[in-house]
Short mmCIF file of all heavy atoms in Angstrom, two decimals:
data_model
loop_
_atom_site.label_atom_id
_atom_site.label_comp_id
_atom_site.label_asym_id
_atom_site.label_seq_id
_atom_site.Cartn_x
_atom_site.Cartn_y
_atom_site.Cartn_z
N GLN A 1 98.45 101.26 103.53
CA GLN A 1 98.38 100.01 104.28
C GLN A 1 97.52 100.15 105.55
O GLN A 1 96.75 99.24 105.88
CB GLN A 1 99.79 99.54 104.65
CG GLN A 1 99.84 98.05 104.96
CD GLN A 1 101.24 97.48 104.82
OE1 GLN A 1 102.17 98.18 104.44
NE2 GLN A 1 101.39 96.21 105.12
N LYS A 2 97.60 101.29 106.24
CA LYS A 2 96.82 101.47 107.46
C LYS A 2 95.34 101.66 107.17
O LYS A 2 94.51 101.56 108.09
CB LYS A 2 97.36 102.68 108.23
CG LYS A 2 98.75 102.48 108.79
CD LYS A 2 99.20 103.72 109.56
CE LYS A 2 100.60 103.53 110.14
NZ LYS A 2 101.05 104.75 110.88
N HIS A 3 95.01 101.97 105.92
CA HIS A 3 93.62 102.26 105.57
C HIS A 3 92.95 101.13 104.78
O HIS A 3 91.77 101.23 104.48
CB HIS A 3 93.56 103.55 104.74
CG HIS A 3 94.22 104.72 105.42
ND1 HIS A 3 93.64 105.37 106.48
CD2 HIS A 3 95.41 105.32 105.18
CE1 HIS A 3 94.44 106.35 106.88
NE2 HIS A 3 95.52 106.34 106.11
N LEU A 4 93.71 100.08 104.46
CA LEU A 4 93.14 99.00 103.65
C LEU A 4 91.95 98.35 104.33
O LEU A 4 91.02 97.88 103.67
CB LEU A 4 94.22 97.96 103.34
CG LEU A 4 95.40 98.41 102.47
CD1 LEU A 4 96.39 97.25 102.28
CD2 LEU A 4 94.92 98.91 101.11
N GLN A 5 91.97 98.31 105.66
CA GLN A 5 90.86 97.69 106.40
C GLN A 5 89.54 98.42 106.19
O GLN A 5 88.46 97.87 106.47
CB GLN A 5 91.19 97.67 107.89
CG GLN A 5 91.38 99.06 108.49
CD GLN A 5 91.80 99.01 109.95
OE1 GLN A 5 91.67 97.98 110.61
NE2 GLN A 5 92.29 100.12 110.47
N ASN A 6 89.62 99.67 105.71
CA ASN A 6 88.40 100.45 105.49
C ASN A 6 87.82 100.25 104.09
O ASN A 6 86.77 100.83 103.78
CB ASN A 6 88.70 101.93 105.72
CG ASN A 6 89.13 102.22 107.14
OD1 ASN A 6 88.59 101.66 108.08
ND2 ASN A 6 90.11 103.10 107.29
N LEU A 7 88.48 99.47 103.26
CA LEU A 7 87.94 99.18 101.93
C LEU A 7 86.83 98.14 102.06
O LEU A 7 87.07 97.01 102.46
CB LEU A 7 89.05 98.65 101.01
CG LEU A 7 90.07 99.67 100.51
CD1 LEU A 7 91.23 98.96 99.80
CD2 LEU A 7 89.42 100.67 99.56
N GLN A 8 85.62 98.54 101.71
CA GLN A 8 84.48 97.66 101.87
C GLN A 8 84.12 96.84 100.63
O GLN A 8 83.61 95.73 100.76
CB GLN A 8 83.27 98.48 102.32
CG GLN A 8 83.44 99.08 103.71
CD GLN A 8 83.81 98.04 104.76
OE1 GLN A 8 83.17 97.00 104.88
NE2 GLN A 8 84.86 98.31 105.51
N PRO A 9 84.32 97.34 99.41
CA PRO A 9 83.91 96.55 98.24
C PRO A 9 84.71 95.24 98.14
O PRO A 9 85.90 95.20 98.50
CB PRO A 9 84.23 97.47 97.05
CG PRO A 9 84.32 98.83 97.63
CD PRO A 9 84.84 98.66 99.01
N PRO A 10 84.08 94.17 97.68
CA PRO A 10 84.84 92.96 97.36
C PRO A 10 85.98 93.31 96.41
O PRO A 10 85.79 94.08 95.46
CB PRO A 10 83.80 92.05 96.70
CG PRO A 10 82.48 92.56 97.21
CD PRO A 10 82.65 94.04 97.38
N THR A 11 87.15 92.74 96.67
CA THR A 11 88.35 93.13 95.93
C THR A 11 89.06 91.91 95.37
O THR A 11 89.32 90.95 96.09
CB THR A 11 89.32 93.91 96.83
OG1 THR A 11 88.66 95.07 97.35
CG2 THR A 11 90.55 94.34 96.07
N LEU A 12 89.36 91.98 94.08
CA LEU A 12 90.13 90.94 93.40
C LEU A 12 91.54 91.47 93.17
O LEU A 12 91.72 92.53 92.56
CB LEU A 12 89.47 90.57 92.07
CG LEU A 12 90.23 89.60 91.16
CD1 LEU A 12 90.38 88.23 91.83
CD2 LEU A 12 89.53 89.47 89.81
N ILE A 13 92.53 90.75 93.67
CA ILE A 13 93.93 91.13 93.49
C ILE A 13 94.55 90.18 92.48
O ILE A 13 94.64 88.97 92.71
CB ILE A 13 94.70 91.03 94.83
CG1 ILE A 13 94.00 91.89 95.91
CG2 ILE A 13 96.16 91.45 94.66
CD1 ILE A 13 94.38 91.48 97.32
N LEU A 14 94.94 90.72 91.33
CA LEU A 14 95.59 89.94 90.30
C LEU A 14 97.05 90.37 90.24
O LEU A 14 97.34 91.56 90.14
CB LEU A 14 94.91 90.16 88.94
CG LEU A 14 93.43 89.79 88.85
CD1 LEU A 14 92.87 90.13 87.47
CD2 LEU A 14 93.23 88.30 89.15
N TRP A 15 97.97 89.39 90.25
CA TRP A 15 99.38 89.74 90.38
C TRP A 15 100.24 88.81 89.52
O TRP A 15 100.10 87.59 89.58
CB TRP A 15 99.82 89.62 91.83
CG TRP A 15 100.91 90.58 92.22
CD1 TRP A 15 102.25 90.43 92.03
CD2 TRP A 15 100.74 91.84 92.88
NE1 TRP A 15 102.93 91.52 92.53
CE2 TRP A 15 102.02 92.41 93.05
CE3 TRP A 15 99.63 92.55 93.33
CZ2 TRP A 15 102.22 93.65 93.67
CZ3 TRP A 15 99.82 93.78 93.94
CH2 TRP A 15 101.10 94.32 94.10
N GLY A 16 101.12 89.41 88.72
CA GLY A 16 102.07 88.63 87.95
C GLY A 16 103.05 87.91 88.86
O GLY A 16 103.64 88.54 89.75
N ASP A 17 103.23 86.62 88.67
CA ASP A 17 104.08 85.85 89.59
C ASP A 17 105.56 86.14 89.42
O ASP A 17 106.39 85.69 90.22
CB ASP A 17 103.81 84.35 89.44
CG ASP A 17 104.21 83.78 88.08
OD1 ASP A 17 104.60 84.57 87.18
OD2 ASP A 17 104.13 82.55 87.90
N SER A 18 105.91 86.93 88.39
CA SER A 18 107.32 87.27 88.15
C SER A 18 107.50 88.78 88.03
O SER A 18 108.32 89.25 87.24
CB SER A 18 107.82 86.57 86.87
OG SER A 18 107.72 85.17 86.98
N ASP A 19 106.76 89.52 88.84
CA ASP A 19 106.84 90.99 88.81
C ASP A 19 108.20 91.45 89.32
O ASP A 19 108.54 91.26 90.48
CB ASP A 19 105.72 91.58 89.68
CG ASP A 19 105.61 93.09 89.56
OD1 ASP A 19 106.59 93.74 89.16
OD2 ASP A 19 104.53 93.62 89.87
N ARG A 20 108.99 92.09 88.43
CA ARG A 20 110.31 92.59 88.81
C ARG A 20 110.28 94.08 89.13
O ARG A 20 111.31 94.64 89.52
CB ARG A 20 111.31 92.34 87.67
CG ARG A 20 111.59 90.87 87.41
CD ARG A 20 112.58 90.69 86.28
NE ARG A 20 113.85 91.37 86.56
CZ ARG A 20 114.84 91.54 85.66
NH1 ARG A 20 114.65 91.11 84.42
NH2 ARG A 20 115.94 92.14 85.99
N ILE A 21 109.14 94.72 88.98
CA ILE A 21 109.02 96.14 89.30
C ILE A 21 108.64 96.32 90.77
O ILE A 21 109.31 97.04 91.52
CB ILE A 21 107.97 96.83 88.40
CG1 ILE A 21 108.33 96.66 86.92
CG2 ILE A 21 107.86 98.30 88.76
CD1 ILE A 21 109.62 97.32 86.49
N LEU A 22 107.57 95.66 91.21
CA LEU A 22 107.13 95.76 92.60
C LEU A 22 107.47 94.53 93.43
O LEU A 22 107.33 94.57 94.66
CB LEU A 22 105.61 95.98 92.65
CG LEU A 22 105.08 97.30 92.11
CD1 LEU A 22 103.56 97.34 92.22
CD2 LEU A 22 105.69 98.49 92.81
N GLY A 23 107.89 93.45 92.79
CA GLY A 23 108.06 92.20 93.51
C GLY A 23 106.72 91.54 93.75
O GLY A 23 105.71 91.91 93.14
N THR A 24 106.67 90.60 94.66
CA THR A 24 105.43 89.85 94.89
C THR A 24 104.90 89.96 96.33
O THR A 24 103.76 89.57 96.59
CB THR A 24 105.63 88.36 94.57
OG1 THR A 24 106.74 87.85 95.33
CG2 THR A 24 105.94 88.17 93.08
N GLN A 25 105.70 90.50 97.25
CA GLN A 25 105.28 90.52 98.65
C GLN A 25 104.08 91.44 98.89
O GLN A 25 103.25 91.18 99.76
CB GLN A 25 106.45 90.95 99.54
CG GLN A 25 107.56 89.92 99.63
CD GLN A 25 107.03 88.57 100.10
OE1 GLN A 25 106.38 88.46 101.14
NE2 GLN A 25 107.31 87.53 99.32
N ASP A 26 103.98 92.52 98.11
CA ASP A 26 102.86 93.44 98.31
C ASP A 26 101.52 92.79 98.01
O ASP A 26 100.49 93.19 98.56
CB ASP A 26 103.04 94.68 97.44
CG ASP A 26 104.08 95.64 97.99
OD1 ASP A 26 104.66 95.33 99.06
OD2 ASP A 26 104.34 96.68 97.36
N ALA A 27 101.51 91.79 97.15
CA ALA A 27 100.26 91.08 96.85
C ALA A 27 99.69 90.46 98.12
O ALA A 27 98.48 90.55 98.38
CB ALA A 27 100.50 90.00 95.80
N TYR A 28 100.56 89.85 98.92
CA TYR A 28 100.10 89.26 100.18
C TYR A 28 99.65 90.34 101.17
O TYR A 28 98.69 90.14 101.92
CB TYR A 28 101.22 88.43 100.81
CG TYR A 28 101.64 87.24 99.98
CD1 TYR A 28 102.88 87.20 99.35
CD2 TYR A 28 100.80 86.13 99.83
CE1 TYR A 28 103.28 86.11 98.61
CE2 TYR A 28 101.18 85.03 99.08
CZ TYR A 28 102.43 85.03 98.46
OH TYR A 28 102.82 83.95 97.71
#
């Protein structure tokens, strides 16, 4: 999380809206 700001490539985040393994908050 502290290093995400250093990711330079354009990034697409795809997330299942009913993820029961990780939940959904990490997508945000």
Side-chain angles (χ1 to χ4, degrees):
Q1 201 158 358
K2 293 181 180 179
H3 305 286
L4 295 179
Q5 62 184 344
N6 298 321
L7 286 171
Q8 294 307 310
T11 302
L12 174 64
I13 304 160
L14 300 177
W15 211 277
D17 65 354
S18 300
D19 188 338
R20 294 180 59 190
I21 303 296
L22 293 179
T24 55
Q25 291 304 306
D26 284 359
Y28 296 111

